[in-house]
Amino acid sequence: VNPSITDLAGAFARGEQRASEILDAALTRIAEQNGRLNAFTAVTAERARGRARALDQARDQGRPLGPLAGVPFAVKNLFDVAGLATLAGSKINRDDPPAARDATLVARLEAAGAVLVGTLNMSEYAYDFTGENVHDGPARNPHDPARMSGGSSGGSGSAVAARLVPLALGSDTSGSIRVPASLCGIFGLKPTYGRLSRAGTFPLAASFDHVGPLAGCARDLALAYDALQGPDPRDPICSPRPPEPVTPRLDQPRRALRVAIAGGYFDKGLFPEARAALERVAAALGADRVVELPESERARAAAFVITAGEAAQLHAERLRRRARDFDPAIRDRLLAAAMLPASVMVHAQKFRRWYRDRVLDLFRDVDVILAPATPCSAPRIGDETLMLDGEPVSVRRNLGLLTQPISFIGFPVAVVPVPLSPLPIGVQIITRPWHEATALQLAYALEQDGVVAAPHPPPAAVQRVSGVS
Amino acid sequence: MLIYALSDKTQARMSDLDPFIDAAARVLALEIEPDWKPGVRDNLAAGLALARLLTSFPLPDNAEPAPCYEPDPQSGGER
């Protein structure tokens, strides 16, 4: 049983299922499985029941229903939810006053009829790729709870992959939507920088912070994206562009697209599963060339130092006052970040324009660039290193290697899950800025052709056995 | 031997980072407990290595940084 957004909203609109019944089913799944997965940090049952009652009433009275009416969703706990402190995965923010209002994107999904059911686990202050959290415990991978969900939107990946909810919101500064989408085997969208409003979300690095949806199928991803779009004066980076809905043209006949594979930097250090997944998607899309995004290692370095500088500024006072209350790994990262010279950051911001121009040049000759989303499928929780070609490689430093250069310049990416055995892994479909539609259309076509799919996790009983082995 | 500096014109090494961290922590008013030091040192070494890779890429003097600052985004200027 895997009801999609379309199934749920359709069943509700046709009167086959009450919003309250859909909600109760979701709350039951969460109650049964969250102990094992640790995806949710708060369940907003009371609020959700009120919303569901209002939706049922609206339907009974024949009032118009939104495209997501009755659909349960959850958000990474850096999104403001009225009445809750916005944790951003931290202990320190637990002392903050409750948010006075919802984040813009939470309000948009609810305006479309969706029902918020809770907030999701994440790496502290979004500054990590593993999905581990020293305060709340790690968000676990439904395909094997002994493995990482990926981060920093780990709870978002875990909750959607386990079908606790069909839709979650995450944020992505360097890969935090794309890495968990890859490790958990689901669809994820990191839109163009500035496309979706970040108002009411706790930041990491303003130069690169993006927000976006994670979902169990390509159509659901597009439906959510359409409900999320639109200008927002509350986010100065959010584009004034009007919404450009994708769902109505999702299955538009595919025009001849020029599809390339990212070579060079993006071809190094790949585990066999990443290569296999890329080859499968590339073959299905008729990729006929390899392009090199020049100086991508430096792009990653530049993204690293800007993120470090912006994060060090953001957390400076918290580091001075409450250093002991940070996750030790994040604290050490932030303390070191505070010591990098300012001139390096300026160099990075100048390099950013240079790199963007080179990648825009590449997109004159191609429409789509493919790259793996992660170099490997989900590592075991706590693993520090993985062996590649007999050499140990750092898990923390490598999980985001393939995503960071792309968010550095804000190009849109859809991640599609390739259901390899025993674990899925994602491929990035990268397009030119503001061309999310192309990426989503390809994701949908690949899913229709059976090339990509979000695989169902094995039954929980089997997992418990393998989890302790 | 690895060099932890922004240029290879100096011979800074891992052991040079400790006095740098101590001095920077005092100047920046950051408290670093002794058992945090190895973690900070590892992260700083990794950050400096990336910074060095980045700054070894030459940029022209007239290169503009990526973010655009608009003095008055609401105004379209004189019409």
Side-chain angles (χ1 to χ4, degrees):
Chain A
V1 190
N2 170 28
S4 67
I5 289 179
T6 312
D7 295 335
L8 291 171
F12 171 60
R14 289 188 300 271
E16 295 161 14
Q17 245 191 325
R18 310 281 288 169
S20 312
E21 293 170 343
I22 295 172
L23 171 64
D24 284 342
L27 293 176
T28 301
R29 287 193 300 273
I30 295 165
E32 286 173 356
Q33 296 193 50
N34 197 52
R36 187 169 53 89
L37 297 174
N38 204 27
F40 279 79
T41 51
V43 178
T44 52
E46 195 181 332
R47 168 182 165 142
R49 288 204 177 92
R51 283 281 304 159
R53 269 196 303 274
L55 285 161
D56 284 331
Q57 224 166 47
R59 202 202 154 272
D60 292 344
Q61 294 166 355
R63 294 210 300 268
L65 301 169
L68 305 182
V71 174
F73 76 101
V75 297
K76 186 176 186 175
N77 72 29
L78 57 65
F79 282 81
D80 284 351
V81 172
L84 298 182
T86 305
L87 303 185
S90 71
K91 175 183 174 185
I92 294 169
N93 287 30
R94 276 157 225 243
D95 299 339
D96 286 356
R101 60 190 284 197
D102 293 336
T104 293
L105 295 196
V106 172
R108 290 220 172 128
L109 288 180
E110 290 214 324
V115 179
L116 179 76
V117 298
T119 57
L120 299 163
N121 199 355
M122 59 177 282
S123 310
E124 185 175 72
Y125 291 127
Y127 204 15
D128 168 78
F129 288 122
T130 65
E132 297 178 10
N133 183 302
V134 77
H135 314 296
D136 292 309
R140 295 178 179 276
N141 193 315
H143 296 284
D144 177 353
R147 292 185 183 271
M148 294 177 187
S149 57
S152 62
S153 312
S156 306
S158 180
V160 171
R163 271 64 183 183
L164 304 186
V165 282
L167 169 66
L169 297 182
S171 67
D172 187 318
T173 303
S174 306
S176 286
I177 288 173
R178 291 164 288 161
V179 170
S182 178
L183 300 193
C184 292
I186 56 174
F187 294 79
L189 178 69
K190 184 208 76 64
T192 310
Y193 181 70
R195 172 74 87 174
L196 297 183
S197 169
R198 307 169 305 177
T201 64
F202 196 89
L204 168 59
S207 288
F208 310 130
D209 286 344
H210 301 68
V211 284
L214 300 94
C217 65
R219 176 176 289 277
D220 285 0
L221 197 66
L223 278 163
Y225 170 61
D226 287 350
L228 295 169
Q229 290 182 57
D232 182 9
R234 286 178 70 203
D235 176 359
I237 296 300
C238 188
S239 165
R241 285 168 177 256
E244 298 170 318
V246 176
T247 313
R249 49 196 170 115
L250 198 55
D251 49 6
Q252 212 168 56
R254 227 182 302 172
R255 66 184 173 87
L257 291 170
R258 300 162 297 173
V259 180
I261 295 171
Y265 171 89
F266 291 89
D267 189 45
K268 286 186 199 138
L270 300 185
F271 284 65
E273 62 267 26
R275 220 173 274 287
L278 176 66
E279 280 165 12
R280 194 188 287 197
V281 170
L285 294 181
D288 59 358
R289 61 194 95 186
V290 174
V291 293
E292 182 153 353
L293 286 67
E295 301 291 348
S296 291
E297 195 176 356
R298 284 196 168 94
R300 189 247 162 179
F304 177 95
V305 301
I306 293 171
T307 304
E310 294 187 357
Q313 181 278 328
L314 177 68
H315 292 292
E317 276 313 297
R318 275 178 286 273
L319 276 176
R320 290 193 184 105
R321 288 167 201 270
R322 301 192 60 176
R324 279 167 202 82
D325 292 330
F326 278 85
D327 178 327
I330 309 293
R331 179 197 60 217
D332 293 352
R333 206 167 302 166
L334 288 168
L335 286 168
M339 297 176 185
L340 289 174
S343 62
V344 173
M345 263 195 75
V346 177
H347 196 110
Q349 284 289 13
K350 290 182 175 176
F351 179 79
R352 186 182 183 202
R353 186 182 292 274
W354 181 90
Y355 184 69
R356 179 204 61 187
D357 290 347
R358 299 292 86 72
V359 179
L360 279 177
D361 283 347
L362 290 179
F363 273 105
R364 284 192 204 153
D365 300 319
V366 302
D367 301 296
V368 177
I369 299 177
L370 304 174
T374 48
C376 56
S377 53
R380 289 183 169 273
I381 291 170
D383 272 1
E384 299 284 331
T385 56
L386 293 172
M387 295 303 285
L388 178 63
D389 299 333
E391 297 290 323
V393 295
S394 160
V395 169
R396 279 174 195 280
R397 296 208 174 118
N398 281 274
L399 278 177
L401 279 184
L402 304 171
T403 50
Q404 198 160 13
I406 310 303
S407 32
F408 176 53
I409 47 174
F411 284 40
V413 184
V415 168
V416 290
V418 179
L420 300 180
S421 183
L423 292 166
I425 186 168
V427 172
Q428 298 185 87
I429 301 176
I430 307 160
T431 58
R432 61 170 66 83
W434 312 111
H435 286 245
E436 287 89 343
T438 302
L440 289 167
Q441 285 166 343
L442 289 181
Y444 181 74
L446 286 165
E447 191 180 27
Q448 294 301 109
D449 293 347
V451 178
V452 306
H456 280 261
V462 178
Q463 286 178 349
R464 274 195 216 102
V465 175
S466 77
V468 295
S469 65
Chain B
M1 179 170 277
L2 285 171
I3 298 166
Y4 296 94
L6 290 184
S7 160
D8 54 11
K9 294 202 175 77
T10 161
Q11 295 295 304
R13 299 182 197 290
M14 201 69 163
S15 57
D16 291 324
L17 291 183
D18 283 342
F20 176 81
I21 291 168
D22 293 340
R26 273 196 303 280
V27 170
L28 300 173
L30 295 167
E31 193 188 333
I32 299 182
E33 292 193 3
D35 58 333
W36 304 355
K37 191 79 87 54
V40 175
R41 191 197 301 125
D42 284 353
N43 278 289
L44 183 60
L48 286 170
L50 290 170
R52 178 181 151 96
L53 171 71
L54 170 67
T55 54
S56 65
F57 184 80
L59 288 164
D61 286 342
N62 63 355
E64 288 283 342
C68 291
Y69 171 74
E70 294 175 73
D72 182 2
Q74 301 304 319
S75 163
E78 284 185 64
R79 286 170 203 275

